[in-house]
């Protein structure tokens, strides 16, 4: 291979990772999945919230303060021991999860989602399990991604604004974004009063995100087609793509370590490991079903060995699309089985959301198209839908990035990312697309 050919491929690869945010559908599914998992968990534990994370729990505020002083964990619940403050933090966690799931102001909601997850989980660290650990990590990663490009209210708002501009009109200015930016700036002052010695990098990240969004808004408003604007877009794309790679590596590490640790266990070696949890009352929401499976030694043996083989083999199949997709389906079915048989729905939903980063783009686009068609059939009586409406259910018509994002093209079947440049005219600065706190 000649040097010119190598340089050309390197240039094309660099252009690809800087010109657009890859994997828009995958990042959207990750956003929806983790937001839904955390939201459902918070709603289920709503009656028990004070015992789990609040002042009514056995892990008292003083005990938590002593632990956090030693491990440096970040949690806003240590700012005050007031029951009112706890209710505010819990309400913000619930609201931000719901709004992140539907993609309303995803840039803002991803930050509030992270703050809510860290605040509650770090307040009572002994209340979590493996699924909570995954949500903990992904909440931080989502802040760095452009996860609202498709399947979000932000994407639909962008499409509407572009259509107004294409028709010769003027897109309405966005007033909600700057208002949220100002309110969050006031809220961030609380980090300056934090005396618990929380993780400094979390506080630095929050301030950096807040300041960067102010800079983004200023550049979009006063120099929308300048070199600084293009540079900001490149940085955002690189950050998104790098974070997406980190998420993939994280998922591979989870399965690789879990698989190799299982191999070392004697119960996994003799094929009886799954027999024991199936006979525990605590992990038997459907006792009759658990008894049927546990009574068959062949089924227990196959499920035990199959679990280990899938987890160990998956990281090695990423470069073979067909084999990877087969194992991906097997892992999703495995987590669905864990949710039903062992009564761990939130752990399973979190892991399925993490697995979604490897789903093929073609499949996700098909799901989006099918959902859009079903929605239109159900709302066919609406005059707006009868006229066509905006195609916000798939990647072709819902770009919705941080300004300058490309609109995904369903003809591309790459596992990570697909896109073609948006043919619609750019939206003027200061509108609902280029304003701060809009992803």
């Amino acid at each position: 291979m000649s040097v010119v050919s190598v340089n050309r491929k390197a240039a094309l690869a660099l252009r690809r990772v800087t010109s657009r945010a890859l994997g828009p559908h995958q990042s959207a599914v990750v956003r929806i999945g983790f937001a839904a998992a955390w939201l459902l968990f918070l709603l289920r534990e709503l009656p028990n919230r004070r015992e789990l994370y609040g002042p009514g729990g056995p892990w008292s505020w003083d005990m938590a303060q002593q632990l956090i002083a030693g491990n440096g964990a970040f949690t806003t619940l240590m700012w005050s021991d007031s029951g009112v403050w706890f209710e505010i933090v819990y309400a913000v966690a619930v609201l931000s999860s719901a709004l992140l799931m539907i993609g309303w102001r995803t840039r803002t909601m991803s930050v509030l989602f992270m703050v809510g997850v860290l605040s509650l989980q770090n307040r009572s660290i002994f209340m979590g399990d493996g699924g909570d650990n995954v949500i903990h990590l992904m909440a931080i990663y989502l802040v760095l991604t452009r996860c609202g490009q498709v399947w979000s209210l932000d994407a639909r708002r962008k499409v509407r604004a572009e259509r107004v501009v294409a028709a010769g009109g003027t897109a309405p200015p966005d007033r909600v974004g700057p208002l949220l930016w100002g309110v969050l700036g006031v809220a961030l002052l609380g980090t300056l009063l934090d005396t618990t010695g929380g993780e400094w990098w979390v506080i630095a990240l929050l301030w950096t995100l807040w300041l960067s969004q102010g800079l983004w808004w200023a550049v979009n408003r006063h120099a929308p087609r300048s070199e600084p604007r293009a540079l900001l877009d490149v940085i955002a794309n690189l950050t998104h793509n790098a974070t997406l790679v980190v998420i993939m590596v994280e998922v591979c590490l989870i399965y690789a370590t879990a698989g190799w640790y299982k191999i070392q266990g004697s119960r996994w070696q003799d094929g009886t490991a799954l027999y024991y949890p199936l006979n525990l009352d605590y992990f038997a929401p459907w006792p009759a079903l658990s008894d049927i499976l546990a009574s068959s030694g062949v089924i227990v043996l196959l499920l035990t060995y199959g679990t280990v083989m899938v987890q160990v083999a998956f990281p090695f199949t990423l470069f073979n699309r067909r084999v990877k997709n087969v194992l991906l389906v097997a892992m999703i079915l495995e987590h669905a089985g864990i949710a039903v048989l062992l009564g761990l729905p939130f752990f399973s939903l979190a892991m399925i959301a993490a697995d979604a980063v490897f789903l093929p783009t073609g499949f996700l686009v098909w799901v989006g198209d099918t959902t859009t068609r079903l929605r239109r059939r159900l709302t066919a009586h609406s005059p707006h839908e009868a006229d066509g409406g905006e195609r916000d259910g798939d990647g072709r018509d819902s770009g919705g990035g941080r300004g300058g994002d490309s609109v995904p093209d369903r003809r591309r079947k790459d596992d990570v990312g697909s896109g073609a440049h948006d043919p619609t005219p750019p939206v003027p600065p200061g509108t609902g697309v280029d304003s701060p706190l809009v992803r």
Side-chain angles (χ1 to χ4, degrees):
M1 184 179 295
S2 64
V3 177
V4 176
S5 178
V6 173
N7 291 338
R8 183 179 180 182
K9 290 184 177 180
L12 290 175
L14 180 62
R15 179 182 178 183
R16 184 182 182 189
V17 299
T18 57
S19 62
R20 67 179 184 271
L22 303 176
H25 296 85
Q26 287 83 357
S27 58
V29 175
V30 171
R31 181 199 85 228
I32 296 170
F34 279 102
W38 185 240
L39 173 64
L40 293 175
F41 173 78
L42 294 179
L43 292 178
R44 190 194 71 170
E45 300 299 340
L46 192 62
N48 308 312
R49 63 190 183 281
R50 287 179 169 267
E51 288 74 19
L52 286 176
Y53 304 111
W59 190 251
S60 66
W61 192 82
D62 292 333
M63 296 172 65
Q65 191 175 39
Q66 294 178 21
L67 179 63
I68 291 174
N71 62 19
F74 172 83
T75 171
T76 58
L77 290 178
M78 288 293 99
W79 295 1
S80 172
D81 60 348
S82 168
V84 175
W85 175 245
F86 167 77
E87 297 295 346
I88 292 175
V89 173
Y90 200 91
V92 170
V94 172
L95 184 61
S96 62
S97 300
L99 295 178
L100 179 64
M101 183 176 63
I102 63 177
W104 186 82
R105 309 285 170 174
T106 51
R107 187 174 301 175
T108 307
M109 294 307 127
S110 64
V111 177
L112 293 178
F113 177 76
M114 178 189 72
V115 171
V117 170
L118 297 183
S119 296
L120 293 174
Q121 290 188 354
N122 289 338
R123 167 63 174 83
S124 301
I125 61 174
F126 301 108
M127 298 297 177
D129 56 19
D132 293 317
N133 293 335
V134 176
I135 294 176
H136 191 104
L137 293 173
M138 295 300 173
I140 300 174
Y141 297 152
L142 280 175
V143 172
L144 304 176
T145 64
R146 308 178 78 165
C147 55
Q149 298 179 96
V150 298
W151 300 338
S152 67
L153 295 182
D154 290 345
R156 176 156 55 169
R157 184 169 61 252
K158 179 178 186 295
V159 171
R160 288 177 173 177
E162 287 174 343
R163 287 184 173 177
V164 171
V165 174
T170 301
D174 177 45
R175 295 182 177 86
V176 177
L179 177 62
L180 284 175
W181 186 81
V183 171
L184 291 180
V186 175
L188 273 178
L189 296 177
T191 61
L192 303 178
L193 305 176
D194 186 7
T195 59
T196 59
E199 295 172 327
W200 65 267
W201 65 267
V202 177
I203 298 176
L205 175 62
L206 294 175
W207 278 101
T208 300
L209 291 170
W210 184 77
L211 293 174
S212 64
Q213 300 320 309
L215 175 63
W216 189 283
W217 179 85
V219 171
N220 274 318
R221 184 171 182 83
H222 301 290
R225 296 174 179 83
S226 63
E227 290 186 0
R229 171 64 178 80
L231 177 61
L232 289 176
D233 207 41
V234 168
I235 294 175
N237 290 333
L238 283 174
T239 303
H240 167 91
N241 296 332
T243 305
L244 210 59
V245 172
V246 171
I247 293 175
M248 294 178 181
V249 173
E250 189 76 44
V251 174
C252 290
L253 287 175
I254 291 174
Y255 284 118
T257 53
W260 286 106
Y261 272 112
K262 286 182 174 65
I263 290 178
Q264 301 175 39
S266 59
R267 295 294 178 262
W268 291 94
Q269 293 176 6
D270 60 27
T272 62
L274 294 185
Y275 173 82
Y276 300 98
L278 289 175
N279 284 276
L280 293 176
D281 294 337
Y282 184 79
F283 292 107
W286 308 96
L289 182 59
S290 298
D291 291 342
I292 293 174
L293 293 178
S295 63
S296 175
V298 175
I299 294 179
V300 171
L301 179 69
L302 293 177
L303 291 177
T304 301
Y305 284 162
T307 298
V308 175
M309 289 188 290
V310 168
Q311 291 182 350
V312 172
F314 179 74
F316 300 99
T317 64
L318 296 183
F319 297 101
N320 189 312
R321 182 176 303 177
R322 293 183 178 179
V323 178
K324 182 263 296 182
N325 290 338
V326 171
L327 293 186
L328 189 60
V329 172
M331 289 193 302
I332 292 176
L333 293 176
E334 172 192 335
H335 291 302
I338 291 174
V340 175
L341 295 175
L342 302 182
L344 299 172
F346 304 112
F347 165 78
S348 299
L349 182 55
M351 291 307 304
I352 291 174
D355 295 339
V357 74
F358 294 105
L359 288 174
T361 300
F363 169 75
L364 294 176
V365 171
W366 174 81
V367 171
D369 289 343
T370 303
T371 303
T372 301
R373 287 194 296 268
L374 292 176
R375 178 177 61 84
R376 289 180 175 178
R377 290 177 181 177
L378 294 175
T379 58
H381 62 279
S382 172
H384 177 72
E385 293 294 339
D387 293 338
E390 64 277 332
R391 300 282 310 268
D392 56 87
D394 57 35
R396 289 175 293 172
D397 300 309
S398 300
R402 297 177 184 171
D405 285 346
S406 57
V407 178
D409 183 354
R410 66 180 301 211
R411 294 171 297 178
R412 295 290 301 273
K413 302 301 182 182
D414 300 326
D415 281 349
V416 180
S418 62
H421 289 290
D422 192 345
T424 56
V427 180
T431 65
V433 178
D434 288 329
S435 60
L437 303 177
V438 178
R439 193 183 305 275

